[in-house]
């Protein structure tokens, strides 16, 4: 029916033109379970940490050490291990190159046999110690190499040549450095559990990931995006490869996978894990609080 008369209001016209009932039938409502989604899934807990013994490989160089082998910190670590043990992971993954799984097996075997004295590295202090507590015969190496776009481009030089010097002028880098410096000192005063809860909080993870999205990342124009391409090959590829390795461990719905990794990796890992249909992402706060 057409609405010709000016006497008929717009609302009345709309009413006439609409179907008799706009409510969805039960069969039309979105229910993921109708399509086989949901149901029992493997659980994945991604525990982001600072490096207990920093190797100097990151941009920010810590100025303060935490004596993780001291009696006080060992007691704090035991508290964390107690909570992780209570959660009961069936597989423990660590930030160790997957193509060196044999070396990880060898070292972990030596540790179980009492022939390897572990250092302060978080792989040993969290991964090895928890694995021994739980009676695991092996740990899982899931780290991977990056794969850069070629040829590599000097993003700062590219920006100068294309009139984009401004992307390096904003003081974002200095702001992030101040944040890292504050946290670097703060971790020497807080209990280890509190530090890890802070590092794995959604707000802190989101802020930290933002450092990858300023400065050189913005270099790009037209069909040429050296900033985004650099980050894709260097950082996103590596982390998505890690996700692939983690999801290969999710073999049964009752699997519980713990991954111990540097906290900077966590935002991309979480982003992928939250959408992976065969795993349920477990929040660190649920286990450590």
């Amino acid at each position: 029916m057409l609405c010709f008369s000016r006497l008929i209001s717009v609302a009345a016209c709309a009413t006439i033109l609409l179907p008799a009932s706009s409510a969805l039938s039960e069969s039309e409502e979105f229910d993921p379970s109708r399509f086989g989604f949901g149901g029992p899934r493997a659980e994945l807990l991604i525990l982001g940490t600072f490096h207990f013994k920093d190797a100097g490989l990151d941009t920010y160089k810590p100025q303060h050490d935490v004596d993780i082998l001291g009696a006080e910190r060992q007691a704090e670590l035991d508290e964390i291990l107690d909570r992780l043990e209570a959660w009961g992971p069936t597989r423990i993954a660590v930030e160790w190159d997957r193509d060196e799984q044999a070396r990880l097996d060898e070292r972990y075997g030596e540790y179980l046999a009492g022939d390897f004295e572990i250092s302060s590295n978080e792989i040993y202090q969290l991964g090895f110690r928890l694995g021994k507590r739980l009676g695991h015969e092996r740990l899982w190496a899931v780290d991977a190499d990056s794969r850069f776009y070629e040829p590599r481009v000097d993003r700062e030089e590219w920006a100068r040549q294309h009139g984009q010097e401004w992307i390096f002028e904003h003081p974002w880098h200095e702001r992030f450095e101040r944040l890292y410096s504050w946290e670097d000192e703060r971790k020497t005063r807080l209990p280890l559990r509190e530090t890890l809860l802070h590092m794995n909080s959604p707000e802190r993870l989101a802020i930290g990931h933002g450092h990858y999205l300023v400065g050189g990342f913005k270099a790009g124009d037209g069909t040429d995006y050296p900033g985004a391409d650099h980050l894709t090959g260097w950082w996103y590829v590596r982390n998505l490869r890690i996700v692939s390795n983690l999801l290969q461990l999710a073999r049964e719905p009752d699997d519980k996978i713990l991954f111990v990794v540097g906290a900077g990796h966590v935002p991309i890992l979480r982003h992928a894990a939250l959408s992976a249909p065969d795993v349920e992402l477990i929040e660190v706060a649920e286990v450590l609080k």
Side-chain angles (χ1 to χ4, degrees), residues 1-2 16 37 41 47 63 89 136 200 206 251 271 278 282:
M1 177 178 179
L2 299 177
I16 294 172
F37 295 94
R41 294 178 290 168
L47 178 60
Q63 303 300 307
H136 289 192
N200 288 276
R251 301 171 186 176
H271 171 76
D278 46 355
I282 304 299

Side-chain angles (χ1 to χ4, degrees), residues 46 48-49 51 58 95 143-144 146 205 209 212 234-235 238-240 242-243 259-271:
I46 304 171
T49 74
H51 295 302
D58 297 327
E95 192 178 345
D143 201 1
S146 302
L205 290 171
H209 188 59
Y212 296 101
W234 164 60
W235 196 233
R238 179 183 173 191
N239 283 288
L240 290 177
I242 291 173
V243 171
F259 181 32
V260 179
V261 64
H265 293 269
V266 176
I268 299 175
L269 304 179
R270 279 179 56 87
H271 171 76

